[in-house]
Amino acid sequence: MNPVKWFKVFNSVQWKMVIIYVLLLLIAMQLIGVYFFQKLEDTFYASFENDLKKQAKTLQEVVKYNMAPGTESDKQKREIDEILEKFPLDKSNTVQIIDHESIVIATTNSENSRKGQKNIRVNNVLQGNKESITEVIQKAGNRYMLYTYPIKHDGEIIGAIHMEAPMQEMYRTIRDINKILIKVTVASMVGASFLMIILARTITNPIKEITEQATIMAEGNFDRKVTVKSDDEIGKLASSFNHLAQHLRNALSQNEAEKGRLQSVLTNMSDGVIATDRKGRVIVFNRRAEEMLNKTIHHKEDINDILPRSHPIILPLTEERETFVELDLEDDAFTIIKITFTPVLRASRETIGLILVLQDVTEEEKLDRQRKEFVANVSHELRTPLTTIKSYLEALDEGGAMEEPELASRFLQVTRQEAERMTRLIHDLLQLSRLDAKNVQFHKQALQPKEILQNAGDRFAFQCRQKGIRFQLSIEDNLSRIYADRDQIHQLLDNLLSNAVKYTPEGGCVTLSAQQKRDGFVEVAVSDTGIGIPKKDLERIFERFYRVDKARSRLMGGTGLGLSIAKEIAEAHGGSIHMESELEKGTTVRFTLPSCEPEVNQP
Amino acid sequence: MIEHMKSLALVFLVTASIIQTLLLWYSSPSYQDNRITAFEDIPQIGHKDFKKHEIHELAAPPEILVHSKGKHQRILPSEAHQTLVEKLHHAQLENLNEITPSSARWERLINKESGLEFRFHHELPTGVIKGFFKGKETIPEEIENINRIWVFGEGDQNRVTIWLISDRTQTVTQATALIQDYKSLLNSAKQAGSTALLPFYKGEKPGLKKEDITEETIPRITYLPKKRLKVPHLTYKLEQIKVEHMKMILFRNPNYVKKTELSDQSFIYTELESLRNLRYDEKKKNMIYKNTGTESETSLPHVKELNTINAFMDRHNGWTGNYLLQSVEQDKNNNLNNYRFQLYVEGMPVFGPDNLPGFDTIRLVASQRVTEYERSLFFSPSRSEIKKPDYLPSAEEVFDSLKKQNLNLSDIQQIYPGYQAATEKKQLKLKPVWVVIFDNEKQGFLEISDTGRGTQWTGAKPNPS
Ligand SMILES: Nc1ncnc2c1ncn2[C@@H]1O[C@H](COP(=O)(O)OP(=O)(O)OP(=O)(O)O)[C@@H](O)[C@H]1O
Ligand SMILES: [Mg+2]
């Protein structure tokens, strides 16, 4: 293991506690040990000294008679030697008998060479300065106690006893006791650390468990519970932790539900929503926004990268703002999006984010345009004949056209034509507006389509002949009856047939056909071999006032409302209308009408 | 912050325990430094040969006269002398009583009987004599001093008569004693003795007559050889004892001795603790040691004091030659006894040299302890190095020179052989002389003159007045 790992292992509360306790115990035991051994040594020392003193005292009593002043002789010395030999002394001790000149006169066997030497240590005793001298010296690695005791004779100091006692025995005893103490210390330290590990575990394990639990909780799992083992502080911590987890779980699920709701609201909104943070980075958005912008939005993307470059926003935004963005799609199509920027403000009016609401306003815009266009068209259509009428009337009034009756009648004819045109136009408009307002009173009744179609064909056959156009009528026999307003259907057919005739040159052919559809509808088709309509105009052909070639159409007396009315009528009857055309080849307009007795027509 | 303190405390705890453990591990009980040498060897200055084992050897009479029926011989300190002294020492004195011998008794003792006369050159207190004898017999109190011990008798069953003679009180104390093999002892003494000497009592005619002896006086006979006596002239190398050595010997703790210069070339060494001091005169090569710290001032019996002295000298082989007790003087001031020991070379006392006072004697004062020790730091370590033949003047020559000085034998206490010392180029020259002790205790030295013809006086002027 590397040091960092070790450090990690020992940086746990458990090991810290163990180390602290063991060290405290060690220090305490050491202090106790020091005091104890001090005392022990003192005691041993004192008894050791006392023992030497006793020996010296008794020896002194015996020896002093052989050392009386004036009696020194070799014989005396020999006697003292004998006494030393016979005296019950500790054999490990060296004893010296020293005369008043501090000269060694007798020693125990081991130190014969000392005889005749001066022992300086004993001076203080010989001098009477000290009752006795105790010294401890170190010699050849061992400690010795030196004890000097005076020899007195008739109250006078006549010599000294000097003892040198090895103390290793004493120190060995102390060491033995020391060893026991060390063993006890080690044992108690081991025991204490073991107990501390257990104790620390009882404290740290629940904490570890709680920590684990917290980690799991942080990952979002609230289901596990900490086991509460006791009723103490740790138990309380565990139970309150469980309580906290419970609360969090509830709060989070509420939050989650809220979020889900919000999410679904967002997703299902018809408007696009983008929320950004203070710096304009996307934090929330819905799919609708992506659809509308036709772009994939990523989290944290800058809002300016998402919006078209032509409309950058400068942050921070403090007030609500609106902007319209026109997005060009392929093939002339376009989308207009209204974007509402709403800053999210704190109570302190500090911007913390931005909410963008995107609304697709293309349809409204289109309608608006159509309306404007319509008005413009109507006014234009009305002004044209009026201007013509006015100018002809002026010409008649001023120009003296009245003098030429032919010219005048022609003028008047034109004026009448124009007025008729206006009338027709207004009639058409009125009809349309009625249809729009669903104000038309349909007198629906069951009708034989064949009858109606033949009727229409009869009406136009003459016109066609006049114009040199072949007219065909092909009607299936088993057409079911339709439920419709006769006048309206006539109107519808008129509008279509008039167009076919109008836009088919001489030698062309116009066909009116009808057939029973499977779904019970009756399909009527008006086809010609006329000039046809360019593809791009096909979609808008049913719009009011829409004409392919305005000039030509007007020349032909068209207002551009015929097809619109046709469409309205067909749809008002629950049918549909659509046009197929090929430029220079011909056009076919088909419309369907519901039959009033479908069951009969079931094949 | 607190977190920090906690970790600091933990670190502190760890370090503290480690330090404490180490401290305990390496600490050991205190003990005194043992570098100071506790034991000091005592320099041995003299030669062991001169060691005196017992008091009687120290207090031995330096001159023994062997009388055998009118024949007189001298035995000076030597092996034979030692044997005789030993024998005497073992004699048990019995039946002590004071007697007054008649002149006839004296005449018979000197001229007719055989006996051994132990002569001290100076009177010695009876206390010392008591120590000389082994026995416990008490010598009567009245006799303070003893000059001579005379052993005589037939020696039947080895029983002899012993006279203790005091010249000062003119008393003779008689005792009997048993001396083993007395007769053979006497015979061997005769053999060891010198050439026959002539006894002179009055005048220059040898011999002793009964009439000459005054009644109730103790006769003092001077014994001189008829011819010149052949005694060698000796030369010794001189050696000096180092003061440092004396310091080691005399002080209890020589390491704490203070040296002070008193005057020119004179120093005093003091050991404050024990009140001991040592005065040393560099010029005279002389020292006086005083131990004033002794507890009691009361004097002990002479024997004990001598014993103390001998033990004291033994410790350092202080007897640098054959020293014999010369005299004991009581110091009137402190009641202590001054013991003077004289150097003997080849059995003869040495005197001088004049430029080295104290060379010939060692003075010691002792009670419980030796309290004074005075001696010269010069000594001659070995036996004779150079021996030259020399002579002592004959009896005739002695009397001639006495006559020249207008002196009579009656003016003279004793005449005995000795050596006159002189130094010459670090050498000690010993010239044989007759030591003449006058009645007034003065002494003169008579020697053969340098030419070899006639005699000459040296030392103190023989002025008896
Ligand atoms: N059968 C057709 N062939 C070619 N173009 C046609 C045909 N029918 C209609 N159109 C085109 O469609 C346009 C619209 O027709 P619509 O009938 O609505 O108007 P109009 O015929 O011009 O005027 P109105 O019918 O009101 O008198 C015409 O202007 C014409 O260009
Ligand atoms: Mg038309």
Side-chain angles (χ1 to χ4, degrees):
Chain A
M1 270 209 258
N2 57 28
V4 179
K5 255 184 183 171
W6 274 112
F7 182 75
K8 268 187 185 166
V9 166
F10 288 103
N11 200 23
S12 63
V13 171
Q14 182 181 323
W15 281 105
K16 271 183 196 166
M17 280 169 86
V18 171
I19 291 167
I20 289 169
Y21 271 79
V22 166
L23 291 180
L24 279 176
L25 195 72
L26 181 69
I27 289 178
M29 285 307 271
Q30 281 172 344
L31 290 176
I32 291 167
V34 168
Y35 180 77
F36 176 70
F37 283 108
Q38 202 70 54
K39 284 285 157 205
L40 194 71
E41 201 190 341
D42 287 354
T43 318
F44 270 98
Y45 189 91
S47 81
F48 198 82
E49 189 181 2
N50 210 35
D51 188 43
L52 287 183
K53 187 176 184 172
K54 259 188 220 157
Q55 287 188 29
K57 251 184 179 169
T58 29
L59 185 62
Q60 186 261 151
E61 285 300 325
V62 183
V63 162
K64 69 177 179 189
Y65 299 108
N66 293 68
M67 291 182 71
T71 62
E72 297 102 321
S73 67
D74 292 345
K75 204 178 124 206
Q76 295 278 51
K77 286 180 188 172
R78 276 196 298 277
E79 275 172 21
I80 292 168
D81 273 342
E82 260 169 48
I83 289 168
L84 275 188
E85 219 166 278
K86 286 174 187 161
F87 200 76
L89 290 166
D90 193 335
K91 287 295 169 227
S92 58
N93 297 355
T94 316
V95 180
Q96 294 175 354
I97 307 290
I98 290 156
D99 72 3
H100 55 84
E101 289 298 312
S102 62
I103 288 165
V104 180
I105 53 171
T107 70
T108 45
N109 297 338
S110 56
E111 283 213 319
N112 263 330
S113 62
R114 292 270 179 242
K115 266 191 195 172
Q117 282 185 326
K118 239 177 214 186
N119 188 340
I120 290 163
R121 285 185 201 280
V122 303
N123 274 347
N124 274 326
V125 162
L126 286 179
Q127 212 58 54
N129 296 343
K130 282 184 184 166
E131 185 51 44
S132 66
I133 300 173
T134 312
E135 276 179 300
V136 175
I137 60 155
Q138 181 101 352
K139 200 166 76 178
N142 281 323
R143 226 164 260 141
Y144 289 85
M145 185 183 273
L146 305 184
Y147 184 77
T148 312
Y149 192 78
I151 303 172
K152 284 186 183 175
H153 188 261
D154 290 342
E156 269 178 48
I157 297 165
I158 54 167
I161 292 169
H162 181 74
M163 298 177 112
E164 198 176 296
M167 297 174 89
Q168 60 256 55
E169 211 39 64
M170 170 188 142
Y171 279 106
R172 191 174 300 144
T173 317
I174 291 179
R175 260 204 303 282
D176 287 348
I177 298 169
N178 195 357
K179 270 180 199 156
I180 292 169
L181 192 83
I182 287 172
K183 275 179 198 162
V184 168
T185 306
V186 168
S188 60
M189 263 160 65
V190 168
S193 32
F194 185 68
L195 285 175
M196 269 325 291
I197 289 170
I198 290 172
L199 179 62
R201 262 169 196 276
T202 59
I203 294 169
T204 54
N205 276 4
I207 292 173
K208 262 189 201 165
E209 205 183 323
I210 289 169
T211 314
E212 252 171 52
Q213 190 54 42
T215 320
I216 291 168
M217 256 167 71
E219 282 159 9
N221 185 354
F222 290 89
D223 295 338
R224 273 174 53 181
K225 266 195 160 188
V226 180
T227 40
V228 179
K229 285 171 186 160
S230 59
D231 198 26
D232 55 10
E233 289 87 339
I234 290 162
K236 276 176 191 156
L237 173 67
S239 61
S240 59
F241 186 83
N242 283 341
H243 193 65
L244 170 74
Q246 177 69 41
H247 267 259
L248 271 175
R249 182 160 54 223
N250 291 348
L252 238 91
S253 61
Q254 271 178 22
N255 206 9
E256 206 68 23
E258 203 78 34
K259 216 168 139 188
R261 248 173 276 157
L262 197 68
Q263 196 61 46
S264 68
V265 167
L266 270 179
T267 339
N268 296 321
M269 256 171 89
S270 58
D271 291 343
V273 174
I274 300 174
T276 72
D277 63 7
R278 196 159 43 88
K279 288 178 181 164
R281 284 177 307 218
V282 175
I283 45 175
V284 171
F285 63 92
N286 61 359
R287 201 145 25 91
R288 183 78 186 106
E290 283 185 318
E291 281 168 11
M292 283 165 83
L293 293 169
N294 196 23
K295 226 177 216 182
T296 5
I297 301 173
H298 302 283
H299 274 281
K300 301 276 172 197
E301 206 176 342
D302 197 309
I303 190 70
N304 278 327
D305 294 342
I306 296 164
L307 297 178
R309 305 229 169 257
S310 50
H311 296 78
I313 352 160
I314 295 120
L315 292 164
L317 208 66
T318 45
E319 282 176 348
E320 196 172 300
R321 238 179 69 186
E322 264 182 25
T323 187
F324 289 87
V325 175
E326 194 173 328
L327 296 170
D328 291 316
L329 304 172
E330 69 273 7
D331 298 340
D332 283 343
F334 62 90
T335 320
I336 295 166
I337 297 166
K338 180 179 144 196
I339 305 176
T340 315
F341 299 94
T342 315
V344 183
L345 299 175
R346 276 224 188 111
S348 56
R349 313 244 353 114
E350 182 198 351
T351 318
I352 53 162
L354 187 65
I355 290 175
L356 289 85
V357 178
L358 293 89
Q359 285 168 301
D360 192 342
V361 292
T362 319
E363 285 307 312
E364 285 116 85
E365 204 62 18
K366 266 186 190 164
L367 276 174
D368 202 37
R369 279 188 205 175
Q370 277 175 4
R371 187 177 47 83
K372 284 176 187 158
E373 214 174 298
F374 179 74
V375 171
N377 282 336
V378 167
S379 8
H380 182 75
E381 293 303 324
L382 282 175
R383 203 179 60 208
T384 314
L386 271 175
T387 316
T388 314
I389 290 168
K390 196 183 160 196
S391 60
Y392 275 78
L393 285 176
E394 277 169 1
L396 278 175
D397 191 22
E398 298 161 14
M402 290 300 252
E403 281 109 67
E404 288 179 53
E406 197 186 335
L407 192 67
S409 76
R410 260 195 55 206
F411 274 29
L412 284 174
Q413 199 190 339
V414 170
T415 315
R416 205 173 56 234
Q417 268 177 11
E418 287 302 317
E420 273 170 17
R421 220 169 93 106
M422 266 176 70
T423 314
R424 209 170 61 240
L425 177 67
I426 287 161
H427 174 263
D428 281 354
L429 281 171
L430 276 170
Q431 194 176 1
L432 258 180
S433 100
R434 253 188 272 126
L435 284 168
D436 273 348
K438 312 269 190 278
N439 255 349
V440 188
Q441 290 292 316
F442 287 108
H443 301 290
K444 285 186 184 171
Q445 57 193 80
L447 296 174
Q448 271 302 339
K450 192 170 184 174
E451 183 195 338
I452 294 170
L453 292 173
Q454 274 173 346
N455 235 337
D458 289 344
R459 262 188 279 136
F460 278 87
F462 172 72
Q463 270 186 44
C464 287
R465 247 183 335 254
Q466 244 182 359
K467 220 185 159 184
I469 297 165
R470 212 155 30 95
F471 183 77
Q472 282 181 5
L473 190 66
S474 81
I475 301 157
E476 279 183 16
D477 287 336
N478 54 344
L479 288 175
S480 56
R481 281 193 297 169
I482 53 164
Y483 184 70
D485 186 323
R486 185 187 289 269
D487 292 340
Q488 297 291 340
I489 298 298
H490 273 294
Q491 171 86 51
L492 168 62
L493 283 170
D494 278 357
N495 284 358
L496 296 180
L497 284 168
S498 70
N499 280 354
V501 173
K502 208 191 284 182
Y503 299 110
T504 307
E506 256 183 58
C509 177
V510 173
T511 313
L512 175 64
S513 59
Q515 63 180 41
Q516 182 73 40
K517 296 284 278 184
R518 290 241 177 121
D519 50 8
F521 281 85
V522 174
E523 188 190 73
V524 181
V526 177
S527 53
D528 62 68
T529 54
I531 56 170
I533 301 162
K535 218 171 203 132
K536 66 174 174 63
D537 295 317
L538 262 181
E539 298 176 31
R540 300 187 62 190
I541 209 77
F542 291 99
E543 282 177 21
R544 289 161 199 195
F545 297 110
Y546 194 87
R547 285 163 292 193
V548 175
D549 185 345
K550 282 196 170 104
R552 191 188 65 179
S553 187
R554 188 167 305 117
L555 210 70
M556 290 177 177
T559 56
L561 290 172
L563 279 177
S564 312
I565 293 165
K567 192 186 178 206
E568 292 294 333
I569 292 168
E571 282 173 1
H573 280 83
S576 64
I577 188 162
H578 72 275
M579 183 180 265
E580 294 156 19
S581 179
E582 210 173 320
L583 205 58
E584 309 288 342
K585 291 241 172 101
T587 312
T588 304
V589 183
R590 291 173 211 274
F591 69 92
T592 56
L593 288 169
S595 65
C596 55
E597 41 205 25
E599 66 276 16
V600 179
N601 297 313
Q602 284 296 320
Chain B
M1 192 59 205
I2 288 168
E3 263 320 296
H4 230 77
M5 301 257 279
K6 275 201 269 181
S7 11
L8 267 179
L10 186 62
V11 168
F12 174 76
L13 180 67
V14 172
T15 17
S17 72
I18 289 168
I19 288 170
Q20 194 176 327
T21 311
L22 290 180
L23 267 176
L24 289 178
W25 199 269
Y26 288 107
S27 76
S28 52
S30 62
Y31 51 85
Q32 269 100 341
D33 204 344
N34 195 31
R35 268 176 300 178
I36 47 155
T37 38
F39 294 95
E40 296 275 8
D41 272 317
I42 293 184
Q44 301 293 305
I45 55 175
H47 198 277
K48 272 202 181 117
D49 286 356
F50 300 117
K51 183 179 161 136
K52 296 284 186 278
H53 298 281
E54 283 178 74
I55 302 305
H56 71 270
E57 290 176 41
L58 198 59
E63 193 181 357
I64 302 169
L65 289 164
V66 186
H67 306 280
S68 45
K69 295 165 184 166
K71 189 186 172 197
H72 309 285
Q73 285 167 295
R74 181 178 276 131
I75 296 177
L76 292 174
S78 60
E79 246 172 83
H81 175 270
Q82 212 169 323
T83 326
L84 293 174
V85 168
E86 207 62 36
K87 288 283 178 196
L88 185 63
H89 168 62
H90 284 99
Q92 293 258 355
L93 297 185
E94 288 166 54
N95 315 317
L96 277 101
N97 63 314
E98 204 181 316
I99 54 158
T100 318
S102 62
S103 45
R105 184 74 192 93
W106 279 117
E107 190 268 339
R108 201 167 71 238
L109 185 67
I110 295 161
N111 285 339
K112 307 277 170 21
E113 290 183 27
S114 293
L116 296 167
E117 184 190 352
F118 295 83
R119 276 193 174 187
F120 296 102
H121 290 154
H122 289 261
E123 56 180 18
L124 289 178
T126 23
V128 179
I129 304 300
K130 262 187 220 167
F132 182 81
F133 289 106
K134 209 180 177 186
K136 298 255 159 56
E137 208 64 44
T138 44
I139 300 163
E141 290 284 312
E142 310 88 74
I143 309 153
E144 283 183 5
N145 302 292
I146 302 288
N147 291 73
R148 280 180 279 170
I149 300 164
W150 206 311
V151 181
F152 61 94
E154 285 311 306
D156 294 331
Q157 283 146 15
N158 293 330
R159 182 155 294 276
V160 292
T161 310
I162 293 176
W163 281 4
L164 305 173
I165 303 159
S166 169
D167 284 344
R168 189 191 294 206
T169 51
Q170 293 289 310
T171 50
V172 176
T173 308
Q174 182 174 285
T176 57
L178 280 173
I179 294 178
Q180 279 189 334
D181 297 331
Y182 174 69
K183 273 182 186 156
S184 62
L185 181 79
L186 207 59
N187 283 331
S188 59
K190 277 178 204 160
Q191 256 149 46
S194 65
T195 44
L197 301 169
L198 299 172
F200 295 93
Y201 181 56
K202 271 185 180 156
E204 47 195 274
K205 269 183 91 183
L208 178 76
K209 286 179 195 118
K210 201 163 52 181
E211 310 84 67
D212 293 342
I213 302 167
T214 328
E215 206 63 40
E216 293 186 16
T217 55
I218 295 162
R220 283 192 65 97
I221 319 282
T222 306
Y223 298 94
L224 290 168
K226 194 179 177 193
K227 289 182 188 163
R228 280 186 177 185
L229 198 62
K230 195 177 173 189
V231 178
H233 177 279
L234 301 169
T235 309
Y236 285 95
K237 210 171 100 184
L238 271 182
E239 213 159 274
Q240 196 190 333
I241 304 163
K242 283 183 190 144
V243 197
E244 284 304 311
H245 283 177
M246 286 320 285
K247 206 174 93 185
M248 299 282 271
I249 292 159
L250 297 170
F251 294 109
R252 271 180 180 158
N253 190 349
N255 301 322
Y256 294 105
V257 171
K258 205 178 97 188
K259 181 185 178 182
T260 341
E261 190 167 354
L262 283 179
S263 61
D264 185 35
Q265 292 190 308
S266 172
F267 304 95
I268 185 157
Y269 295 84
T270 40
E271 187 185 39
L272 296 169
E273 278 183 343
S274 62
L275 297 172
R276 290 168 186 218
N277 64 62
L278 172 68
R279 235 174 235 255
Y280 169 59
D281 193 326
E282 178 82 45
K283 240 187 271 171
K284 294 179 183 166
K285 302 287 180 212
N286 190 356
M287 58 150 255
I288 303 170
Y289 156 79
K290 279 189 181 168
N291 178 6
T292 49
T294 41
E295 295 84 350
S296 99
E297 297 279 297
T298 53
S299 58
L300 289 173
H302 290 293
V303 183
K304 287 198 169 179
E305 289 185 348
L306 274 172
N307 200 66
T308 306
I309 286 167
N310 196 29
F312 173 83
M313 295 302 271
D314 256 4
R315 290 192 190 105
H316 62 286
N317 278 346
W319 302 126
T320 47
N322 185 19
Y323 281 90
L324 294 176
L325 180 63
Q326 183 202 46
S327 65
V328 181
E329 297 149 30
Q330 201 174 46
D331 192 327
K332 294 286 178 290
N333 295 327
N334 50 18
N335 238 7
L336 292 175
N337 294 312
N338 270 309
Y339 293 87
R340 242 173 239 286
F341 298 88
Q342 185 148 34
L343 176 65
Y344 280 79
V345 175
E346 302 279 308
M348 302 204 294
V350 176
F351 295 88
D354 295 337
N355 59 338
L356 292 177
F359 177 83
D360 50 359
T361 49
I362 290 174
R363 183 178 69 88
L364 284 146
V365 179
S367 58
Q368 302 255 3
R369 308 279 148 76
V370 169
T371 54
E372 271 186 66
Y373 177 24
E374 182 181 356
R375 67 171 294 156
S376 167
L377 289 185
F378 270 130
F379 75 103
S380 37
S382 55
R383 287 161 192 274
S384 170
E385 277 184 349
I386 305 162
K387 271 189 189 180
K388 273 197 293 183
D390 205 345
Y391 297 91
L392 276 173
S394 64
E396 199 181 335
E397 283 172 321
V398 171
F399 283 111
D400 277 354
S401 13
L402 282 175
K403 227 181 272 167
K404 272 181 198 162
Q405 297 292 326
N406 249 340
L407 286 169
N408 204 319
L409 200 56
S410 55
D411 299 323
I412 286 157
Q413 235 183 53
Q414 293 182 67
I415 296 177
Y416 52 87
Y419 273 121
Q420 169 76 37
T423 51
E424 197 177 283
K425 290 177 196 165
K426 286 257 170 188
Q427 280 189 328
L428 183 76
K429 308 251 173 200
L430 294 178
K431 175 135 180 92
V433 289
W434 285 115
V435 181
V436 183
I437 312 285
F438 300 103
D439 261 353
N440 58 3
E441 296 285 327
K442 291 209 167 138
Q443 59 193 16
F445 307 107
L446 193 65
E447 57 178 34
I448 304 260
S449 61
D450 297 335
T451 52
R453 299 169 178 227
T455 58
Q456 64 181 40
W457 288 97
T458 57
K461 279 281 155 220
N463 182 13
S465 56

